[in-house]
Amino acid sequence: MRLLLVEDTEELAQSVLRFLRAEGHAVDHAPDAATAEEAMATTDYACVILDLGLPDRSGLEVLRARRRAGDRTPVLIATARDQITDRIAGLDAGADDYVVKPFDLRELSARLRAHARRGQGLPETRIAIAGLEVDRAAARLWKAGDEIRLTAREWAVFDALLGARGRVLPKAALEEVLGGFDTLIEGNAVEVYISRLRAKLGQGVIETRRGLGYVLP
Ligand code: CA
């Protein structure tokens, strides 16, 4: 998933970025309100994690401005345990959920997945598709009852195709998904991961649309 982390505390931001990138997400980082608003206005995120105490303006103002502009991107606000009024104000301003700092990164990740699914209009977590059973919230899948284990990168590519299912995803979109990992992407990385996924899932699951991209029909 493409995510935006709005957080001015550098150390916290780095640990969240490291964790989410290791999970296969492409995460942008905005250290202040101006950068956050610009990023949200120009990029389509699956979900945004928004700190409210930012150096230039309050995160609440960013949220209100984006909602006024018609932006429906799921937003999770991050607040300290004692900032109950901020939390309420955030939800009133159009936040979808909140996390309390210091947050458990696995919980944050699960909530991000849940909200991104809702943002895509896919609230269900268990999906049956092409002879597979998929639990997106748990990032697990089964074929004929046997669990298939995917690496974080394989899952990231599969999950992107699943989120778009029925719609062709261009190679560039999958490169962006893989770009969330720290390592450099080779020119044929997408083909490599698609072929690994086909070997694990079966040949008919992911279709190639020549010159356009890949689709989970
Ligand atoms: Ca802050």
Side-chain angles (χ1 to χ4, degrees):
M1 299 193 283
R2 181 109 198 224
L3 303 169
L4 175 67
L5 171 68
V6 185
E7 174 61 64
D8 60 318
T9 306
E10 190 58 25
E11 202 180 325
L12 175 61
Q14 289 310 322
S15 80
V16 175
L17 288 171
R18 237 187 339 266
F19 183 87
L20 293 176
R21 285 173 179 162
E23 285 207 318
H25 304 298
V27 197
D28 293 339
H29 175 216
D32 54 54
T35 314
E37 213 176 319
E38 168 77 19
M40 285 183 76
T42 52
T43 308
D44 193 13
Y45 293 105
C47 203
V48 176
I49 308 150
L50 178 65
D51 177 31
L52 295 185
L54 296 169
D56 48 349
R57 266 183 310 136
S58 159
L60 276 178
E61 288 177 45
V62 175
L63 181 58
R64 287 197 191 104
R66 290 311 305 155
R67 291 299 188 236
R68 266 199 309 275
D71 187 341
R72 301 299 316 145
T73 307
V75 172
L76 255 75
I77 49 171
T79 66
R81 191 163 299 280
D82 55 355
Q83 292 172 333
I84 295 165
T85 26
D86 278 2
R87 218 174 293 157
I88 295 165
L91 293 169
D92 282 344
D96 296 86
D97 199 357
Y98 62 87
V99 280
V100 175
K101 291 182 186 180
F103 38 77
D104 182 279
L105 289 169
R106 287 161 311 166
E107 185 196 350
L108 172 69
S109 171
R111 292 216 200 174
L112 288 169
R113 285 196 294 274
H115 286 287
R117 274 196 308 277
R118 251 167 256 164
Q120 289 168 335
L122 305 169
E124 80 277 33
T125 69
R126 288 249 178 172
I127 305 165
I129 186 166
L132 304 167
E133 193 186 346
V134 189
D135 185 337
R136 293 189 83 192
R140 295 172 71 185
L141 77 133
W142 296 263
K143 185 180 175 181
D146 292 327
E147 182 161 12
I148 299 173
R149 303 212 176 262
L150 298 184
T151 65
R153 286 175 173 84
E154 289 164 358
W155 174 265
V157 169
F158 179 71
D159 191 54
L161 288 164
L162 196 63
R165 67 181 185 272
R167 201 156 46 80
V168 177
L169 268 191
K171 187 181 160 190
L174 293 173
E175 274 170 351
E176 199 167 90
V177 166
L178 289 169
F181 294 90
D182 287 338
T183 46
L184 211 64
I185 314 245
E186 308 265 337
N188 64 348
V190 170
E191 285 87 344
V192 169
Y193 284 102
I194 293 284
S195 112
R196 285 187 195 166
L197 281 169
R198 281 178 172 150
K200 288 187 176 181
L201 309 178
Q203 292 302 317
V205 177
I206 302 167
E207 292 183 1
T208 304
R209 295 289 155 81
R210 210 156 289 286
L212 294 173
Y214 299 93
V215 62
L216 216 60

